Amino acid sequence: MMLHLVEDELDGRDTVGTPSNPQKFLDQDYEELRRDFVKNKARFVDETFPPNESSIGPNLLHDDAMARVEWIRPTKMVEDPYLIVERESRFDLAQGDLGDCWFLAAIGAITFQKDIMVEIIPENQSFSQDYAGIFHFRFWRFGKWVDVVIDDKLPTIDGKLIFVHCKTRNEFWPALLEKAYAKVCGSYADLRGGLVSEALRDFTAGVFITLTLEADRPEPWGLMRQAAQHRSLMGCGSLHGATSANTELPNGIVEGHAYTITDILSVLSNGESVKLVRLLNPWGQKEWNGNWSDGSPLWKTVSAEDRTKLLQSKDDGEFWMSMEDFCRSFSQVDICCRTPAFLDNSSENSWTSVMCKGRWEKETAGGSRDYKQTFWMNPQYRMKVPDLDENQAESQGLNLLVSLMQKPNSRNRNLVQNLPIGFSVFMVPPELKDQNTLPASSFTTSSPVVESSLTSGTREVVEFFRLRPGQYLIVPFTAKPNLTASFILTVHIKCKIQR
């Protein structure tokens, strides 16, 4: 299989699955359904995600709690329900009895960017004008944007929402957004456990990288600061301890928990620059209490102007900490941006993106390079890394980002079996540049110029590199031969700026 990536550039055409023309999830047409129910003065009930135990999912609530669940519309909970009060805010959220902090941390990140929120929560929805109990939301899922229809019946116990709720009593966008994502993933139970990067990707279709925080690694301050300047979305995960997840440490950090990174900056403290990170706990409470926390005396060492601008002494789940303490308390940082430009502080139009869909069948799943006799059977994708302008070449290091994502074998997220996958990148020899596929001998006589780690348990492998100009071959592979799965290969290449 050979596909010239440079000839298949994404061009934003208005095909099904784009932001302007999303695919109708489960073939439900929001406009048609809403029009019919408004005309008949009826309230929509979604048969594809019914208000019953099946939509909550298995092993999430105890039997006695499940028996007490009542699905209620917001119009029955309060007299004056609103989808959004004023505008969406990161402080709206309060996590409920569902382990989806990874999803809520991602929501906290996107509230800063109105253009992303409008894509996810289409406008002209309310509980007043032509209300019919029907709403819709949009997500990017495995190469396509999908439009997801839901009814507004929400699971409650004793009249209170079980899962995410808004601190404003009559605001319901977080609960309805969570329900729509639960529908896409199969059930509420399917939202338990995950990575912030997964949700950020589904909210933006953007580029993401994960930075590992370890004692022997340099701190990623420069890249994080650069990412923030490019309006990137960021989240992070705290270290897992010996105790069970969600245990609050004496310093206020919750173990094995996802947080939103809401700001990155430096301040002058007694005349010296200090790097600070601001984080938000999606619980809406429980904050770091060490240096640079709300009550820290270190805030007296900064100017009155900075102290007034930055310090908000509220128990709202948001807090500052130093970069050093951050690296000691957290294991990874997820960064997601619309383009890879944040990687080298370049302009958005200096990168081109290509997406290809493929599949490993028994006859095209040759396994990793450990299987020398069959590796050549894997799909092969040709690409060209171009020469750059002199100024570009001098100003940047990275010029290639590759993502390999598995497509699921089940709608239910927790039933998906993600295979261990990876990819190798080979230089194409000049004498073989005109061949459609490279022969088996090419892979036994030469080594890849770069190769991803073999990643298991996650749906996507992402690596970024610098390669010299030339013809290359990307070979996505599974850990072992004869495995069957679908995948999406996305390549972002630094290109010459058109002047």
Side-chain angles (χ1 to χ4, degrees), residues 255-271:
E255 290 184 323
H257 190 48
Y259 289 74
T260 308
I261 296 175
T262 60
D263 204 359
I264 297 171
L265 50 77
S266 58
V267 296
L268 286 178
S269 171
N270 288 328

Side-chain angles (χ1 to χ4, degrees), residues 360 365 367-369 375 378 402-407 417-424 451-463 475-480 483-489:
W360 292 289
S368 69
R369 288 195 305 119
F375 179 77
N378 285 302
V402 180
S403 157
L404 180 64
M405 173 185 280
Q406 297 180 72
K407 294 188 69 175
Q417 299 296 316
N418 284 319
L419 301 173
I421 62 171
F423 59 86
S424 301
E451 190 168 46
S452 75
S453 56
L454 188 63
T455 303
S456 61
T458 59
R459 70 177 188 176
E460 188 168 10
V461 179
V462 180
E463 299 283 356
V475 182
F477 58 81
T478 54
K480 296 180 180 180
L483 298 177
T484 302
S486 297
F487 63 83
I488 298 171
L489 178 68

Side-chain angles (χ1 to χ4, degrees), residues 370-385:
D370 292 337
Y371 299 88
K372 294 180 172 54
Q373 300 302 314
T374 56
F375 179 77
W376 66 272
M377 297 167 57
N378 285 302
Q380 301 179 20
Y381 295 89
R382 185 77 67 89
M383 68 174 181
K384 180 181 179 181
V385 174

Side-chain angles (χ1 to χ4, degrees), residues 205-250:
V207 178
F208 90 86
I209 62 170
T210 297
L211 305 175
T212 302
L213 305 176
E214 294 178 358
D216 59 348
R217 287 175 179 257
E219 67 177 33
W221 167 263
L223 185 54
M224 290 173 62
R225 182 71 177 138
Q226 199 164 275
Q229 292 170 347
H230 280 264
R231 300 180 74 236
S232 299
L233 309 171
M234 286 183 274
C236 55
S238 57
L239 291 166
H240 286 268
T243 58
S244 60
N246 290 343
T247 298
E248 184 183 359
L249 298 174

